[in-house]
Amino acid sequence: MSKIERKEREKQLRRESILDAAESVFFEKGLIASTMDEIAEKAELSKGTLYLYYRSKDDLYLGVICRGFDILIGKLSEAASPDVSTIQKLLNIGSAYYNFSQKHTHYFRMFSFLESPQFHTMASEELLNESHNQSKRAWDVIIDVISNGIKDGTFRENIDPVQMAIILWSNATAIMKLKDRKDQFWIENLNVDIDTVLQKSNAMLVSTMLTENAKRYYQPKL
């Protein structure tokens, strides 16, 4: 290993160590309440050194978000395994996203930051682009499944894969946020189980995509 390669490796290890510290602080306190001083202390670095690697708290937040996307993309790709039917792939993707939201709740909550551009004033273009590229990779898994489903005759030809992916993702995200924030409220006040609502809404949306032939093999549980 050359001197330059060794220095680059050491720099990357330091960046990961800083992200470890930032992740711990963000998970505990959230973005607004966290400070660069706390992160620097957690990383056992001076704040000046911290700024050599990440220019703002927003950049650190985005760096942690990208970690979450790495996990999510892996789960979605696994769910889209080629050894199951197209319909099952899409349902598996929905389950994988739900399981991610439950097991990695902090990451799931942090994703909302990308939906709030008014808070990106201190974020660098580099980290914003990286996080958006990661987000796109997640979208592409769903879009590819829908596109292939059109080709194999499972889904109707007049469906736009990108539009349908947005509908499915947005619907699931909104319902999972309801569960995350007020799960007991829906049970105690409306006698509604949000998990059941999510399953039924996914089934309903998938059923609207099916060709007449595919409907013979898939009966959604509504």
Side-chain angles (χ1 to χ4, degrees), residues 22-35 38 61 106:
E23 181 174 285
S24 177
V25 174
F26 288 142
F27 281 7
E28 179 184 353
K29 307 186 70 171
L31 174 63
I32 303 301
S34 299
T35 67
E38 290 172 318
Y61 203 73
H106 290 293

Side-chain angles (χ1 to χ4, degrees), residues 19 39 56-57 61 83 114-115 118 120 128 146-147 156 163 168-169 179 189 213 216 220:
L19 280 182
I39 295 170
S56 68
K57 187 171 66 171
Y61 203 73
D83 60 356
L114 297 178
E115 302 165 10
Q118 68 270 27
H120 299 172
L128 279 172
I146 297 174
S147 297
R156 293 182 289 106
Q163 291 179 359
L168 289 167
W169 186 276
K179 176 180 175 63
N189 292 276
N213 185 56
R216 295 162 50 194

Side-chain angles (χ1 to χ4, degrees), residues 178-179 181-192 194:
L178 293 180
K179 176 180 175 63
R181 294 169 184 169
K182 293 184 178 180
D183 193 15
Q184 284 301 117
F185 170 84
W186 307 106
I187 296 174
E188 294 172 0
N189 292 276
L190 297 177
N191 195 29
V192 170
I194 292 296

Side-chain angles (χ1 to χ4, degrees), residues 8-74:
E8 185 59 34
R9 181 183 178 185
E10 290 172 353
K11 184 177 179 180
Q12 185 58 37
L13 289 173
R14 176 62 61 83
R15 289 177 67 87
E16 289 301 317
S17 177
I18 292 171
L19 280 182
D20 287 341
E23 181 174 285
S24 177
V25 174
F26 288 142
F27 281 7
E28 179 184 353
K29 307 186 70 171
L31 174 63
I32 303 301
S34 299
T35 67
M36 291 293 273
D37 287 306
E38 290 172 318
I39 295 170
E41 181 179 354
K42 189 76 174 179
E44 298 181 346
L45 298 170
S46 69
K47 191 162 69 169
T49 301
L50 196 65
Y51 278 114
L52 291 176
Y53 290 87
Y54 293 92
R55 79 174 198 180
S56 68
K57 187 171 66 171
D58 287 2
D59 274 7
L60 278 166
Y61 203 73
L62 289 169
V64 176
I65 284 175
C66 287
R67 283 183 164 187
F69 271 120
D70 280 336
I71 296 172
L72 177 59
I73 292 164

Side-chain angles (χ1 to χ4, degrees), residues 2-221:
S2 69
K3 186 176 181 179
I4 294 177
E5 289 174 332
R6 184 169 61 254
K7 284 188 175 181
E8 185 59 34
R9 181 183 178 185
E10 290 172 353
K11 184 177 179 180
Q12 185 58 37
L13 289 173
R14 176 62 61 83
R15 289 177 67 87
E16 289 301 317
S17 177
I18 292 171
L19 280 182
D20 287 341
E23 181 174 285
S24 177
V25 174
F26 288 142
F27 281 7
E28 179 184 353
K29 307 186 70 171
L31 174 63
I32 303 301
S34 299
T35 67
M36 291 293 273
D37 287 306
E38 290 172 318
I39 295 170
E41 181 179 354
K42 189 76 174 179
E44 298 181 346
L45 298 170
S46 69
K47 191 162 69 169
T49 301
L50 196 65
Y51 278 114
L52 291 176
Y53 290 87
Y54 293 92
R55 79 174 198 180
S56 68
K57 187 171 66 171
D58 287 2
D59 274 7
L60 278 166
Y61 203 73
L62 289 169
V64 176
I65 284 175
C66 287
R67 283 183 164 187
F69 271 120
D70 280 336
I71 296 172
L72 177 59
I73 292 164
K75 298 298 183 184
L76 297 181
S77 299
E78 183 180 341
S81 170
D83 60 356
V84 297
S85 69
T86 298
I87 295 174
Q88 193 58 53
K89 286 179 187 178
L90 205 54
L91 295 175
N92 287 351
I93 285 174
S95 296
Y97 186 30
Y98 172 80
N99 291 335
F100 172 85
S101 75
Q102 299 303 294
K103 185 176 181 179
H104 302 284
T105 306
H106 290 293
Y107 286 131
F108 175 72
R109 291 170 178 168
M110 290 176 78
F111 289 166
S112 296
F113 181 74
L114 297 178
E115 302 165 10
S116 307
Q118 68 270 27
F119 298 136
H120 299 172
T121 56
M122 298 299 293
S124 66
E125 285 295 319
E126 178 186 357
L127 267 296
L128 279 172
N129 288 337
E130 182 179 347
S131 60
H132 287 311
N133 287 337
Q134 289 285 71
S135 176
K136 184 179 182 302
R137 287 177 60 204
W139 284 101
D140 284 345
V141 175
I142 308 169
I143 293 169
D144 286 347
V145 170
I146 297 174
S147 297
N148 290 331
I150 294 172
K151 293 176 183 176
D152 67 23
T154 301
F155 301 137
R156 293 182 289 106
E157 292 184 351
N158 61 342
I159 287 176
D160 184 301
V162 177
Q163 291 179 359
M164 200 66 218
I166 292 173
I167 291 171
L168 289 167
W169 186 276
S170 300
N171 173 76
T173 299
I175 295 176
M176 288 189 293
K177 284 183 177 180
L178 293 180
K179 176 180 175 63
D180 181 40
R181 294 169 184 169
K182 293 184 178 180
D183 193 15
Q184 284 301 117
F185 170 84
W186 307 106
I187 296 174
E188 294 172 0
N189 292 276
L190 297 177
N191 195 29
V192 170
D193 176 55
I194 292 296
D195 287 347
T196 301
V197 172
L198 179 60
Q199 292 170 5
K200 286 189 174 183
S201 65
N202 286 342
M204 290 173 63
L205 288 171
V206 172
S207 68
T208 66
M209 301 165 61
L210 301 177
T211 61
E212 291 302 317
N213 185 56
K215 289 178 182 179
R216 295 162 50 194
Y217 302 99
Y218 173 66
Q219 297 296 324
K221 296 178 182 180

